[in-house]
Amino acid sequence: AQSVTQLDSQVPVFEEAPVELRCNYSSSVSVYLFWYVQYPNQGLQLLLKYLSGSTLVKGINGFEAEFNKSQTSFHLRKPSVHISDTAEYFCAVSDLAGGYNKLIFGAGTRLAVHP
Amino acid sequence: SQTIHQWPATLVQPVGSPLSLECTVEGTSNPNLYWYRQAAGRGLQLLFYSVGIGQISSEVPQNLSASRPQDRQFILSSKKLLLSDSGFYLCAWTGTRNTIYFGEGSWLTVV
């Protein structure tokens, strides 16, 4: 079965600094990877996804992630964060073994952007 | 465009009372539908998924049940709530290219 590990439960950072949120997944023949963001008291919003093709994927709000098959990683990055980026970020992998698309989530990383 | 709606957004229920959370998807047909739960301080756990009307699969044994009476309607229910049922419940559906989209969520507090 697939699994996802988000290596940092909390990441504090100052405004306008770069940030990287780390995500590793268990290996599989083929994999679909996602990053979602959750603002307080809201549902999950899709940030970006990797399905195939270019290993560098760009998402909304200036975020990007790089798929690294050899390291089974899918780290999320942003070159300059804003206060409004404060939220919880979830990495997820699709598990298609059961014949349907089942998302397996990491435990989440809380990004706190300070002025 | 496709949209997903959940209601109610917030509810407080006493232990032993019934529960009904509803989810409706618009702008698509025959979607795969999901119920996830996010307990306080924990990640997201898949509770149920459905590939069609009347077709429900449960991921974990629990006090909850799900039903899909119509193509784009997914309902989460309980006959008697437990304190441990408290959490944030999210309905979701599969769009194009295996991408899952989530509703706004429903906060349930069992007291």
Side-chain angles (χ1 to χ4, degrees):
Chain A
Q2 294 278 9
S3 65
V4 177
T5 302
Q6 290 184 243
L7 297 159
D8 306 292
S9 60
Q10 296 186 62
V11 173
V13 64
F14 287 109
E15 194 174 18
E16 298 184 4
V19 70
E20 178 180 80
L21 306 184
R22 297 179 293 168
C23 172
N24 285 91
Y25 62 95
S26 56
S27 62
S28 179
V29 175
S30 63
V31 62
Y32 302 137
L33 293 158
F34 305 84
W35 276 99
Y36 290 85
V37 60
Q38 185 178 34
Y39 299 103
N41 298 317
Q42 294 186 25
L44 272 69
Q45 181 181 5
L46 180 67
L47 266 182
L48 49 79
K49 59 187 176 183
Y50 171 79
L51 302 178
S52 64
S54 172
T55 57
L56 182 65
V57 292
K58 295 187 183 297
I60 62 172
N61 301 339
F63 284 93
E64 63 181 32
E66 185 159 17
F67 169 61
N68 188 318
K69 188 174 182 179
S70 62
Q71 297 186 9
T72 62
S73 68
F74 190 54
H75 300 333
L76 181 70
R77 302 185 184 101
K78 186 169 183 178
S80 176
V81 294
H82 303 288
I83 296 289
S84 59
D85 291 323
T86 295
E88 185 130 24
Y89 292 79
F90 291 94
C91 181
V93 63
S94 282
D95 184 341
L96 301 173
Y100 71 101
N101 185 11
K102 172 182 173 180
L103 271 185
I104 307 298
F105 283 90
T109 297
R110 188 169 298 275
L111 175 65
V113 182
H114 301 285
Chain B
S1 63
Q2 300 89 354
T3 56
I4 181 169
H5 298 288
Q6 271 185 253
W7 68 94
T10 307
L11 68 164
V12 180
Q13 295 284 95
V15 169
S17 65
L19 170 73
S20 180
L21 300 179
E22 295 195 30
C23 170
T24 300
V25 180
E26 298 176 359
T28 186
S29 59
N30 197 31
N32 286 355
L33 296 173
Y34 309 80
W35 278 109
Y36 280 83
R37 176 171 60 197
Q38 187 178 26
R42 300 175 65 179
L44 289 110
Q45 180 185 37
L46 177 62
L47 302 176
F48 300 95
Y49 71 92
S50 171
V51 298
I53 296 174
Q55 300 178 63
I56 311 293
S57 295
S58 173
E59 281 291 310
V60 293
Q62 58 211 321
N63 185 43
L64 303 168
S65 62
S67 62
R68 186 168 176 176
Q70 300 180 46
D71 181 44
R72 290 170 289 175
Q73 184 185 25
F74 204 24
I75 298 172
L76 183 69
S77 305
S78 174
K79 292 182 179 179
K80 290 185 178 181
L81 284 168
L82 306 172
L83 286 174
S84 58
D85 292 324
S86 293
F88 191 45
Y89 289 82
L90 290 154
C91 182
W93 68 284
T94 303
T96 55
R97 303 195 70 190
N98 288 308
T99 302
I100 292 180
Y101 298 93
F102 288 83
E104 308 92 341
S106 297
W107 280 105
L108 170 65
T109 303
V110 183
V111 296

